Amino acid sequence: MIKNEVVLTGIGVLSSIGITKDSFWTSLCEGKSGIGYLQSIETQMMNRPIGSEVPDFRPKDYIKPKKNIKVMSRDIQMGVVSVAHACQDAQLITDGEERSVDPERIGVIFGCDLIGLELSELVDAFKAGIQCGKHDFSTWGHSAMEKIMPLWMLKYLPNMPACHIGIALDARGPNNTPTLDRGSSLSALIEAFRVLERGDADVMVCGGCGNKINPTVLARGKSYNLAPWSNDPQTIPRPFDVDRVGTVIGEGAAAFVLERKEFAQARGVQPIATIRGAARTNAPTGRIGIQEESIIRAIQLALKEADRTPKDLGHLNAEGLGTIFEDAIEAQAIQKTLNDIPVFTGKGHFGNLGSGTGAVELAASLLAIQHKTVPATRNCQNIATDCPINVINNLPYSINASTFLKINHSNTGRAFAVVFE
C-alpha cells in the first residue's frame, strides 16, 4: 500500500498560560507559571488546593448555537474552542459554498478522560433520597431522578468532545475518542495520522482536552501522586529535579489540523510540520506504574518508521510528570535510547492536564521549531542524579535541527511517540 505523506497545518491551544498560540508561546519564553490556588472549586478548607486554570475562557464566542453549551462540560467546551482556533490557523473553512473539504473526507479523533462530575448538579438528587439522616437508595428511581436534568449525562460522556466537534465541522469521516489518561491526545493524533496515511480522509482534526480540577480528583490525591500544599505553588511541579515532590493538576486543551500533503498543497497552505513516524506500545505486566520497556520500544519504533536516528533530533518533548518514581523511569528510558538529547517538558508551567496533556505540550514544540528556540523547562533547577538526561533548564536552547520527538505515557504501561519534522 502506498502511504500518503501527512502534514500538520493548524494549531489551537487553551492553557493556563495562554488561550491563543501567540500568548501561549510568549508565556513559555518568559518562563511564566499558570499554577496557583484554585478559584473554581468551592471549599471550606483553610488552604485552597493548588492547580492550573484556564483564564478568560469565553465559549459563547465560538460555540453555536449557544444553547448547546448547557450540555457541554468545561472539558467539552475547551475541546470545541481549541478546534475552532486550529481550523482558523489552518485556514480551513468547514461550512458554506467556500468549504475547504468534502464533509465525507474530514474526520475527528479527539482524546478525552472520564469527565469529572459537577457535584452541585447532584446535590438536590441526593437530598431527595435522604431519609432519617441517611441516604436510602431505594428512593433513587422515583424521587432522586426527578431532580436531575434529563440530558445531564451528555455533559459527562468522554466521546462527546469528538461528537460536538464533528457536528460543528459537519465532519462525516472517521470519528473516535481515545481515553488513555495522559496518552489520550497523542494517541488521537497517531490514529488520525494513520487514517490519512491510508487515504481514508483528506483532513483529520485531532488533539485532546482534559480537566483534572475536580473534587473527585482531589479526594483521591494519593493515587495521582499530587504534590503537597505549598505557600509558593508556582515552584511546583519540578520535573526531573532533585527536589521534585509530586504532580499538580490542571485543565487545558489543544487541537491540530492534519492533512494529506497533496491536499494541503492544493489548498495553498504552508505546513507547520510533517509527521515522519509514530508508535504506540504497552507493557502488560499487571503492575501499576510506568514501564521503562514500553517507553523504550515506542521511541525505537517511531524512529525506525521515520528512518531517523537520535542524532537527527533537535530535542525531545518529554512527559516530566514531576513525581519521584515516574520521572526516574522515564529519564532512564530516554538516556538508554537517545543519550544526551536536549529534553523539554511543559508541566512546570501548567501541570498535569489529564487527556489534554500531550496536545498542549506538543503545541510548545511545534512553536519552538518555528522560532528555532526551545524554552527552558520551568522549575528544574538541579537535575536529579536518578534522572540522567540533558534537561533544557535555566535558559532557552537554540536549535538548528527541525526534527523532534514527542513522547507521553500513562501509569498503566502505555507509551506513545511521534517524530515531527
Side-chain angles (χ1 to χ4, degrees):
M1 181 183 70
I2 298 176
K3 294 183 178 180
N4 291 287
E5 197 166 1
V6 178
V7 296
L8 188 150
T9 58
I11 303 171
V13 62
L14 292 174
S15 77
S16 60
I17 61 171
I19 58 174
T20 66
K21 70 174 188 177
D22 291 338
S23 61
F24 176 70
W25 175 249
T26 298
S27 294
L28 286 171
C29 293
E30 294 177 352
K32 289 184 178 179
S33 172
I35 295 170
Y37 300 120
L38 297 177
Q39 301 302 314
S40 59
I41 292 180
E42 295 183 13
T43 179
Q44 295 181 350
M45 298 167 59
M46 181 180 298
N47 298 320
R48 279 194 167 275
I50 293 170
S52 67
E53 299 170 292
V54 176
D56 304 322
F57 176 50
R58 295 176 56 84
K60 292 182 179 180
D61 292 345
Y62 297 92
I63 298 173
K64 298 177 182 180
K66 290 182 174 59
K67 65 179 182 181
N68 288 353
I69 295 175
K70 69 179 181 181
V71 291
M72 292 184 181
S73 67
R74 188 169 172 87
D75 313 48
I76 299 171
Q77 294 171 22
M78 289 189 296
V80 173
V81 173
S82 70
V83 167
H85 288 174
C87 290
Q88 184 178 24
D89 191 45
Q91 303 172 47
L92 186 72
I93 302 171
T94 58
D95 59 7
E97 295 182 358
E98 297 181 356
R99 186 183 178 102
S100 304
V101 58
D102 184 334
E104 296 184 3
R105 297 289 295 173
I106 178 173
V108 180
I109 313 290
F110 214 77
C112 185
D113 272 331
L114 296 176
I115 298 174
L117 303 178
E118 295 177 30
L119 300 181
S120 59
E121 294 188 346
L122 296 178
V123 170
D124 290 340
F126 279 107
K127 283 182 177 179
I130 295 176
Q131 302 292 333
C132 300
K134 295 183 179 180
H135 194 276
D136 182 1
F137 282 98
S138 67
T139 66
W140 182 259
H142 65 271
S143 59
M145 291 296 285
E146 293 179 354
K147 304 294 184 179
I148 298 176
M149 181 180 73
L151 300 179
W152 170 82
M153 187 171 286
L154 292 181
K155 295 181 67 172
Y156 303 107
L157 295 174
N159 66 309
M160 292 311 291
C163 173
H164 283 287
I165 293 165
I167 293 171
L169 303 180
D170 191 19
R172 306 175 196 176
N175 190 294
N176 200 9
T177 304
T179 53
L180 300 169
D181 194 40
R182 297 188 309 275
S184 300
S185 50
L186 206 59
S187 179
L189 184 142
I190 294 172
E191 186 173 338
F193 167 54
R194 299 303 183 201
V195 169
L196 292 166
E197 254 194 344
R198 296 191 301 266
D200 290 342
D202 294 322
V203 177
M204 292 295 294
V205 174
C206 60
C209 54
N211 179 9
K212 290 287 188 183
I213 303 174
N214 190 279
T216 60
V217 174
L218 293 169
R220 295 176 291 148
K222 289 185 178 180
S223 65
Y224 287 97
N225 292 321
L226 296 184
W229 188 88
S230 170
N231 58 12
D232 190 6
Q234 294 190 355
T235 62
I236 52 175
R238 303 168 190 145
F240 304 119
D241 190 83
V242 65
D243 293 322
R244 64 190 189 276
V245 291
T247 191
V248 173
I249 56 174
E251 62 176 2
F256 311 101
V257 175
L258 305 186
E259 306 183 42
R260 290 190 306 105
K261 184 177 180 180
E262 291 182 356
F263 188 81
Q265 288 176 334
R267 289 206 305 119
V269 177
Q270 182 66 35
I272 295 169
T274 300
I275 301 177
R276 294 299 183 190
R280 292 178 285 189
T281 60
N282 187 36
T285 63
R287 179 171 65 87
I288 299 298
I290 297 171
Q291 305 300 321
E292 181 182 327
E293 170 201 345
S294 183
I295 301 171
I296 289 173
R297 285 193 296 113
I299 292 172
Q300 291 174 335
L301 290 171
L303 286 173
K304 182 178 180 181
E305 182 181 28
D307 193 23
R308 298 292 186 272
T309 69
K311 292 182 180 180
D312 295 319
L313 301 175
H315 76 283
L316 168 73
N317 186 313
E319 183 83 58
L321 194 59
T323 58
I324 294 173
F325 174 74
E326 285 88 351
D327 278 15
I329 292 293
E330 179 184 21
Q332 289 159 25
I334 293 169
Q335 196 279 329
K336 289 178 181 178
T337 51
L338 302 173
N339 300 316
D340 202 36
I341 185 173
V343 175
F344 166 81
T345 176
K347 287 192 176 64
H349 293 269
F350 43 73
N352 173 12
L353 313 181
S355 49
T357 294
V360 175
E361 292 170 344
L362 173 58
S365 280
L366 291 169
L367 294 169
I369 60 171
Q370 289 185 307
H371 292 86
K372 299 186 183 302
T373 301
V374 182
T377 296
R378 183 180 168 84
N379 292 338
C380 182
Q381 303 299 322
N382 299 293
I383 303 171
T385 56
D386 60 351
C387 297
I389 54 175
N390 180 22
V391 181
I392 302 169
N393 62 347
N394 299 320
L395 293 172
Y397 176 74
S398 296
I399 51 173
N400 293 318
S402 62
T403 305
F404 73 92
L405 178 68
K406 172 69 186 123
I407 63 173
N408 279 113
H409 37 76
S410 69
N411 291 341
T412 52
R414 296 182 178 91
F416 312 86
V418 186
V419 178
F420 295 86
E421 191 167 72

